[in-house]
Amino acid sequence: MYNKLHNFYKNTDFIMASFERQFDRFLKIGWDEDTAVRVIIFNFTREYFDKMGITPQQFKQFFDLHHNEPSFNYENVFMWARIVKKLDIDAANTIWPRFMTEKISIDNVDVKNPFEDYYDEHNLAENSQYSDMGKKQLVIEAEYLHNSLCNILKYIDNGGVDIDVVKAEVYDGIYESRI
């Protein structure tokens, strides 16, 4: 079941440590693996699901139907949520597998990438402090931030509790790439 969680969050290794801890806690209190994975995924996507009008019951139905499919990952689940917003849950659960495997077009359904939505809705082209950076600068910035977050997680996983150490790492991540 851990593999399902890892496959769902492909390319997001930096958050897997916290999900592993949550997963272990849920198992220790007696939850089955499917429920633990479902809750972790739902909590991670809750803000977006709330915005799309997705209920926990709808997500459970979707999870039960599709969580074993290779295309069950966070980007595609966001697409499913966009389809649910435009259609009803049964139609979305029927269309989604075809949409993922056949790349069919769905009339009257905007399945724009949720990351593009966020970018557009928050007008990040103008409002972001990073909007005038080139690709190389952004990659460097992302790598420094990623490494800082990983260092913080490692520190906490190893029992670290000194907030000053965490703050120092945060400041290094924010400012180091611009020096």
Side-chain angles (χ1 to χ4, degrees):
M1 187 53 64
Y2 169 79
N3 288 334
K4 284 183 187 171
L5 193 60
H6 187 67
N7 288 337
F8 186 79
Y9 294 109
K10 286 179 190 164
N11 305 319
T12 56
D13 290 340
F14 65 97
I15 61 174
M16 281 307 297
S18 66
F19 290 143
E20 288 173 30
R21 287 192 301 274
Q22 288 178 27
F23 186 69
D24 288 343
R25 276 190 232 130
F26 289 152
L27 294 181
K28 285 178 184 172
I29 63 171
W31 289 19
D32 63 85
E33 292 180 345
D34 270 356
T35 302
V37 169
R38 186 182 308 121
V39 168
I40 290 168
I41 292 170
F42 188 78
N43 282 339
F44 180 77
T45 54
R46 171 163 255 141
E47 181 181 339
Y48 188 76
F49 281 6
D50 287 346
K51 180 180 172 186
M52 294 293 115
I54 306 299
T55 66
Q57 294 80 12
Q58 288 171 324
F59 180 70
K60 180 187 182 310
Q61 180 186 5
F62 175 72
F63 182 91
D64 292 344
L65 287 172
H66 303 298
H67 72 277
N68 287 318
E69 296 174 16
S71 55
F72 187 80
N73 61 52
Y74 72 100
E75 288 181 2
N76 293 338
V77 168
F78 283 136
M79 293 298 184
W80 167 80
R82 301 279 304 168
I83 296 169
V84 171
K85 184 176 183 180
K86 299 287 184 178
L87 305 171
D88 64 82
I89 186 74
D90 292 329
N93 284 342
T94 301
I95 290 172
W96 187 80
R98 288 185 52 224
F99 178 74
M100 289 296 107
T101 57
E102 301 170 21
K103 298 299 181 199
I104 62 171
S105 65
I106 303 169
D107 295 335
N108 302 319
V109 177
D110 176 16
V111 288
K112 189 175 168 184
N113 186 316
F115 301 105
E116 289 179 25
D117 276 351
Y118 186 87
Y119 182 84
D120 293 343
E121 288 172 9
H122 293 87
N123 195 17
L124 293 180
E126 294 179 18
N127 296 334
S128 174
Q129 63 179 316
Y130 305 104
S131 62
D132 62 342
M133 291 182 164
K135 182 177 178 180
K136 287 182 181 179
Q137 290 172 301
L138 289 172
V139 169
I140 291 168
E141 189 76 24
E143 284 298 318
Y144 273 103
L145 293 173
H146 176 266
N147 290 337
S148 291
L149 290 171
C150 288
N151 290 341
I152 291 168
L153 287 173
K154 285 177 193 171
Y155 175 72
I156 292 168
D157 285 343
N158 290 326
V161 294
D162 186 347
I163 196 70
D164 289 333
V165 172
V166 173
K167 276 181 161 178
E169 189 63 44
V170 168
Y171 286 123
D172 283 349
I174 292 173
Y175 299 111
E176 185 69 26
S177 64
R178 299 186 187 172
I179 296 175

